């Protein structure tokens, strides 16, 4: 088996061998090497303890050294190449951990063999190693075969593996999304039977795995695997809840299937690195996933076999905010995704009756920096199979976007303000600061949105007219 190994790995292996220590490249880098995928960071394990290999790593990694993982037997270093790029490595002493059933944090115990270390890895495709510098390939659990088949299987009994570290269940789903693999039946059954164990994992770690799933090449596959395994019932229950029972007398789209289509379409609408929504965009993908989660709570059966979901946008925005906060997403992400969910139906009225310029300005103002994402979410949400309706919708969206471009050539949407500021309002009306000034300011802002920029005299006349009507 021929391996294209980074020269830094060979060099480091030689340094360890000179001191009488074993060193092996392990885990993801070996897997990615066999898949011909780039791997920027290198993970190693060694027979040496941290105190023994620290001098080697410090002398090799002259451009950076860290020891935050020392208590777990891990030290890291950075070495820059002549072209300015760098290689980052982490080296860990062979491990043979014991786990507390009430925690996924192991009681660290150093091992004495490479095979023993590999046995504690999450999946066989990550339990392969390459000894350096002699390039001996080590695969005690059949990872090569599983890699060729695209199978995820644990190197030891899956129930024991997930009992030790429940986060491995989420990692299985992540590899479905990232690598396009499928979970071996016995391993999949173990996940389904042990989903409750995910409850001992911190929200932050669950969130991080969910983010990796959504930012992968196949986010839909990952979400479907989350739902099929039962994990979503615990970490994102609003998504499996979209599988609404279809009443034979009432017709509506299967909301879960629709959501998966919207997620696919939103991903396809992301842009290149120089575009307005560079791929992969977590905000857009979260909004696509969550945009209809208000439907189960708002479903109503109407006369004539119709089903309605009135105000599901507003209800969904509240549910989105609650769920993302529970998963400890940053505040700006919570607010941005919630806002997109709240606004995702806003454009639909334009299709029936094109808006005035003032309505277009309000749409852009309300969307703010989310304007490009909102338009992509709106387009992705139009999943009708009726070609005429689809073409009408696309044409309306194209028209609205062109009107926005034309309006932006005349005025700066990003800084729309009333033609009169608060101080001018106080001076012109001869009033003191207070609630009336705020009301006047809001009226003049609405007037500005309706009329666009106007001459100063016209703005003054409108302010006086409005103020007179308040008395």
């Amino acid at each position: 088996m021929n391996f294209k190994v980074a020269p830094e790995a060979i060099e480091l292996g030689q340094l360890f061998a000179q001191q009488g220590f074993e060193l092996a490249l392990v885990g993801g880098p070996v897997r990615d090497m066999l898949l011909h995928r780039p791997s920027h960071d290198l993970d190693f394990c060694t027979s040496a303890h941290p105190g023994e290999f620290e001098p080697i790593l410090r002398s090799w990694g002259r451009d950076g050294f860290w020891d935050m993982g020392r208590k777990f037997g891990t030290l890291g270093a950075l070495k820059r190449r002549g072209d300015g790029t760098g290689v980052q490595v982490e080296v860990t002493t062979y491990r043979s951990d014991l786990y507390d059933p009430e925690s996924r944090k192991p009681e660290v115990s150093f091992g004495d063999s490479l095979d023993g270390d590999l046995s504690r890895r999450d999946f066989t495709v990550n339990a392969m190693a390459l000894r350096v510098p002699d390039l001996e390939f080590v695969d005690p659990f059949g990872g090569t075969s599983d890699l060729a088949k695209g199978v995820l299987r644990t190197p030891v009994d899956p129930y024991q593996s997930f009992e030790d570290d429940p986060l491995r269940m989420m990692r299985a789903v992540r590899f479905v999304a990232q690598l396009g693999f499928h979970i071996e039946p016995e391993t999949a059954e173990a996940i389904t039977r042990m989903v409750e164990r995910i409850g001992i994992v911190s929200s932050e770690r669950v969130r991080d795995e969910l983010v990796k799933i959504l930012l992968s090449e196949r986010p839909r596959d990952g979400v479907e695997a989350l739902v099929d395994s039962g994990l979503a019932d615990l970490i994102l229950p609003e998504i499996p809840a979209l599988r609404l029972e279809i009443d034979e007398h009432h017709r509506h789209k299967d909301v879960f299937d629709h959501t998966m289509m919207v997620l696919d379409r939103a991903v396809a609408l992301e842009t290149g690195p120089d575009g307005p929504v560079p791929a992969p965009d977590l905000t857009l993908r979260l909004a696509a996933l969550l945009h209809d989660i208000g439907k189960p709570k708002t479903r109503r059966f109407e006369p004539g076999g119709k089903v309605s979901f009135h105000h599901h946008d507003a209800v969904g925005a509240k549910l989105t905010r609650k769920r993302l906060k529970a998963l400890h997403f940053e505040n700006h992400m919570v607010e941005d995704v919630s806002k997109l969910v709240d606004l995702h139906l806003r454009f639909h009225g334009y299709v029936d009756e094109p808006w005035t310029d003032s309505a277009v300005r309000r749409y852009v103002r309300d969307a703010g920096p989310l304007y490009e994402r909102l338009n992509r979410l709106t387009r992705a949400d139009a999943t009708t199979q009726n070609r005429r309706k689809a073409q009408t919708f696309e044409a309306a969206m194209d028209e609205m976007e062109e009107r926005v471009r034309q309006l932006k050539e005349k005025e700066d949407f990003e800084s729309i303000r009333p033609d009169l500021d608060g101080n001018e309002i106080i001076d012109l009306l001869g009033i003191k600061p207070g609630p009336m000034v705020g009301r006047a300011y809001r009226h003049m802002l609405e007037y500005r949105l309706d009329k666009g920029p106007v001459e100063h005299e016209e703005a003054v006349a409108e302010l006086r007219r409005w103020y007179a009507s308040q008395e």
Side-chain angles (χ1 to χ4, degrees):
M1 199 175 286
N2 294 320
F3 292 98
K4 187 176 181 181
V5 183
E8 293 83 1
I10 303 295
E11 178 187 12
L12 201 57
Q14 290 171 340
L15 293 174
F16 272 69
Q18 289 170 8
Q19 300 298 320
F21 302 128
E22 297 177 4
L23 186 70
L25 190 65
V26 292
V30 178
R31 179 199 68 220
D32 291 340
M33 195 182 303
L34 293 172
L35 291 174
H36 305 291
R37 290 163 53 99
S39 186
H40 304 292
D41 301 333
L42 302 178
D43 295 326
F44 297 88
C45 62
T46 179
S47 60
H49 286 206
E52 295 172 320
F53 69 81
E54 179 176 348
I56 303 174
L57 208 55
R58 281 187 181 275
S59 63
W60 176 87
R62 293 181 297 275
D63 299 302
F65 175 84
W66 56 95
D67 64 353
M68 294 84 75
R70 183 182 293 273
K71 68 178 181 179
F72 299 109
T74 301
L75 303 178
L78 170 68
K79 184 172 186 176
R80 299 203 180 280
R81 296 167 172 152
D83 61 2
T85 62
V87 59
Q88 182 172 296
V89 306
E90 287 196 341
V91 181
T92 303
T93 303
Y94 293 155
R95 296 264 294 271
S96 178
D97 299 336
L98 298 175
Y99 285 83
D100 181 343
E102 302 304 317
S103 170
R104 62 174 296 270
K105 295 180 180 179
E107 178 184 325
V108 177
S109 176
F110 294 143
D112 55 12
S113 72
L114 177 58
D115 282 10
D117 183 275
L118 295 177
S119 71
R120 53 171 289 277
R121 305 270 163 175
D122 52 6
F123 302 104
T124 59
V125 296
N126 293 329
M128 299 177 288
L130 186 66
R131 294 184 186 273
V132 287
D134 55 358
L135 302 186
E136 176 192 348
F137 182 60
V138 182
D139 181 18
F141 303 103
T144 310
S145 174
D146 287 345
L147 197 66
K149 298 173 185 174
V151 169
L152 291 168
R153 181 171 58 87
T154 57
V156 297
D157 177 77
Y159 292 91
Q160 183 61 55
S161 181
F162 300 143
E163 177 72 20
D164 287 346
D165 186 357
L167 191 63
R168 289 170 177 166
M169 297 187 287
M170 287 286 294
R171 285 171 59 82
V173 173
R174 193 231 295 177
F175 289 130
V176 168
Q178 288 181 334
L179 303 175
F181 287 9
H182 65 273
I183 304 172
E184 179 266 336
E186 184 179 352
T187 303
E189 182 181 358
I191 294 175
T192 301
R193 290 177 176 273
M194 298 186 70
V195 288
E196 297 291 339
R197 286 283 293 163
I198 203 68
I200 72 168
V201 180
S202 72
S203 297
E204 291 85 356
R205 297 302 298 270
V206 169
R207 174 204 62 207
D208 291 347
E209 289 297 326
L210 178 61
V211 167
K212 290 174 183 176
I213 290 167
L214 290 177
L215 293 181
S216 71
E217 295 181 8
R218 306 167 188 81
R220 176 177 182 164
D221 290 352
V223 173
E224 290 178 339
L226 272 181
V227 172
D228 291 343
S229 68
L231 285 166
D233 291 328
L234 296 171
I235 66 169
L236 205 60
E238 295 82 3
I239 300 306
L242 295 175
R243 285 181 162 171
L244 299 175
E245 182 179 351
I246 306 295
D247 188 304
E248 61 178 315
H249 303 297
H250 296 85
R251 299 176 299 280
H252 63 82
K253 295 178 184 176
D254 180 279
V255 183
F256 178 78
D257 286 347
H258 165 74
T259 296
M260 294 300 96
M261 289 178 62
V262 173
L263 180 57
D264 275 345
R265 289 163 59 91
V267 170
L269 289 170
E270 293 171 342
T271 64
D274 298 325
V277 186
D281 188 82
L282 181 60
T283 305
L284 178 60
R285 295 184 183 200
L286 275 170
L289 178 64
L290 301 172
H291 78 285
D292 271 350
I293 62 173
K295 280 189 171 180
K297 285 184 175 292
T298 59
R299 182 172 64 161
R300 298 290 182 272
F301 296 114
E302 307 289 354
K306 293 185 177 181
V307 177
S308 67
F309 302 97
H310 295 309
H311 308 299
H312 78 268
D313 45 351
V315 172
K318 291 180 180 178
L319 292 172
T320 295
R321 184 173 288 106
K322 181 178 179 181
R323 177 53 54 198
L324 296 185
K325 283 185 175 180
L327 288 170
H328 293 190
F329 277 89
E330 293 183 0
N331 288 337
H332 76 87
M333 184 64 69
V334 174
E335 295 309 315
D336 285 354
V337 177
S338 299
K339 187 172 184 178
L340 286 171
V341 173
D342 194 33
L343 294 175
H344 82 273
L345 295 180
R346 183 77 167 269
F347 174 77
H348 287 259
Y350 188 102
V351 180
D352 300 323
E353 183 177 350
W355 295 337
T356 61
D357 284 352
S358 63
V360 172
R361 290 189 191 95
R362 284 187 174 84
Y363 177 85
V364 178
R365 183 196 67 173
D366 291 347
L370 297 171
Y371 170 75
E372 294 287 354
R373 290 186 178 100
L374 178 59
N375 286 358
R376 282 163 173 74
L377 175 61
T378 303
R379 287 183 186 272
D381 192 30
T383 60
T384 178
Q385 298 302 305
N386 184 308
R387 176 168 293 187
R388 183 185 61 80
K389 286 184 178 181
Q391 291 175 339
T392 299
F393 186 89
E394 286 291 323
M397 179 64 84
D398 291 343
E399 177 189 294
M400 191 273 293
E401 290 183 336
E402 179 57 31
R403 287 178 64 189
V404 169
R405 282 190 285 271
Q406 292 175 3
L407 286 169
K408 283 187 173 182
E409 290 178 1
K410 302 175 184 177
E411 51 188 307
D412 182 4
F413 276 29
E414 308 301 327
S415 57
I416 289 181
R417 299 288 186 274
D419 294 293
L420 302 171
D421 64 24
N423 290 328
E424 290 176 296
I425 290 171
I426 289 172
D427 292 342
L428 287 166
L429 299 182
I431 60 178
K432 295 180 179 180
M436 179 59 75
V437 177
R439 289 168 55 196
Y441 185 91
R442 287 190 292 273
H443 171 75
M444 293 308 296
L445 177 58
E446 292 299 315
Y447 186 76
R448 168 70 175 75
L449 289 167
D450 284 337
K451 300 293 185 180
V454 299
E455 296 296 330
H456 185 264
E457 293 77 10
E458 183 179 341
V460 171
E462 173 59 25
L463 174 65
R464 295 191 188 283
R465 184 205 63 76
W466 174 83
Y467 185 63
S469 71
Q470 303 302 300
E471 298 176 348

